[in-house]
Amino acid sequence: MSILKIILIGILCLAPEKDGWVRINGDNYISFSFPSRGERFKKEVNNMRSWIFQTKNITCVFGAVCTQLTKEKGVLDEYTINQLYISMKRESVSMPTAKLSGEKRIPDSNIDIREISYTIMKDGEEMTYFKRFIFRDNCMYQLTIGGKTEDLEELNSQKDKFFNSVKFDQNTRK
């Protein structure tokens, strides 16, 4: 029995570390990685269906909202995208302690991607959040990651991993 334990310990020590992140297949062809399986639930507002995914780890909270804006397939026009973005940005920083700290547009030839960063005070601690809005076809995707501002280096590392994991594939539909 002790030989078996030694072999198992040796295998575990020599086995390559996996990052443990899990690929999540969302609605409307999106997939992304979370540090754990997390929760998934559906919400419907004004005949618009959204799938909400959320999870957390030791330092960060993660969220993804996939919303089909219209029943018809098609591309949203620039005006509609801009109005939706302004509205969602305003809603994101609507808390009294929220302060917008950054805003940028991510270049992409096929989709419109915009990102904001903001801080809020929560239970006496400053929290930083990054939110990416992706407009593709007739859908809007919101990806959010946040954590304590004092853990900003770790938060940025996980933000890059999370945001860079997003993929769109015609076979991803659930």
Side-chain angles (χ1 to χ4, degrees):
M1 197 60 156
S2 62
I3 294 174
L4 183 59
K5 284 182 184 177
I6 293 171
I7 291 171
L8 285 174
I9 290 170
I11 290 171
L12 291 174
C13 290
L14 297 175
E17 273 189 46
K18 292 186 176 183
D19 63 10
W21 285 54
V22 178
R23 174 119 330 245
I24 307 293
N25 291 322
D27 264 22
N28 303 308
Y29 310 115
I30 191 172
S31 70
F32 49 88
S33 294
F34 265 178
S36 65
R37 175 87 24 220
E39 297 177 291
R40 172 189 173 142
F41 52 96
K42 184 170 90 171
K43 186 175 184 178
E44 207 161 307
V45 177
N46 298 330
N47 290 328
M48 287 190 288
R49 184 185 69 180
S50 294
W51 284 101
I52 301 165
F53 303 85
Q54 58 189 26
T55 193
K56 61 183 176 178
N57 63 14
I58 294 172
T59 55
C60 302
V61 295
F62 300 80
V65 179
C66 310
T67 305
Q68 184 176 351
L69 299 168
T70 64
K71 298 272 186 216
E72 304 84 37
K73 262 304 209 197
V75 178
L76 299 169
D77 63 41
E78 183 66 29
Y79 176 80
T80 303
I81 289 172
N82 201 44
Q83 293 305 306
L84 283 166
Y85 170 69
I86 289 168
S87 174
M88 298 310 293
K89 176 178 71 169
R90 188 178 303 127
E91 186 178 312
S92 297
V93 294
S94 64
M95 291 179 58
T97 63
K99 293 180 184 158
L100 185 66
S101 56
E103 184 174 15
K104 64 183 174 180
R105 200 169 194 164
I106 311 297
D108 191 285
S109 59
N110 299 322
I111 52 182
D112 195 325
I113 305 172
R114 302 176 191 206
E115 183 178 311
I116 62 172
S117 55
Y118 58 98
T119 60
I120 63 168
M121 292 302 292
K122 184 176 177 182
D123 300 327
E125 294 197 76
E126 185 179 76
M127 309 292 285
T128 297
Y129 290 87
F130 296 93
K131 186 176 267 192
R132 190 167 277 187
F133 302 94
I134 301 172
F135 301 92
R136 181 178 185 266
D137 296 331
N138 60 338
C139 298
M140 176 177 65
Y141 307 90
Q142 300 172 67
L143 304 170
T144 306
I145 181 172
K148 293 179 183 177
T149 302
E150 67 186 39
D151 297 327
L152 194 56
E153 188 174 320
E154 179 65 20
L155 179 59
N156 275 317
S157 168
Q158 292 195 42
K159 171 189 69 108
D160 291 342
K161 188 173 199 169
F162 176 42
F163 285 171
N164 291 331
S165 75
V166 173
K167 292 182 183 172
F168 289 95
D169 179 3
Q170 297 300 344
N171 299 318
T172 308
R173 179 170 245 158
K174 270 203 159 187

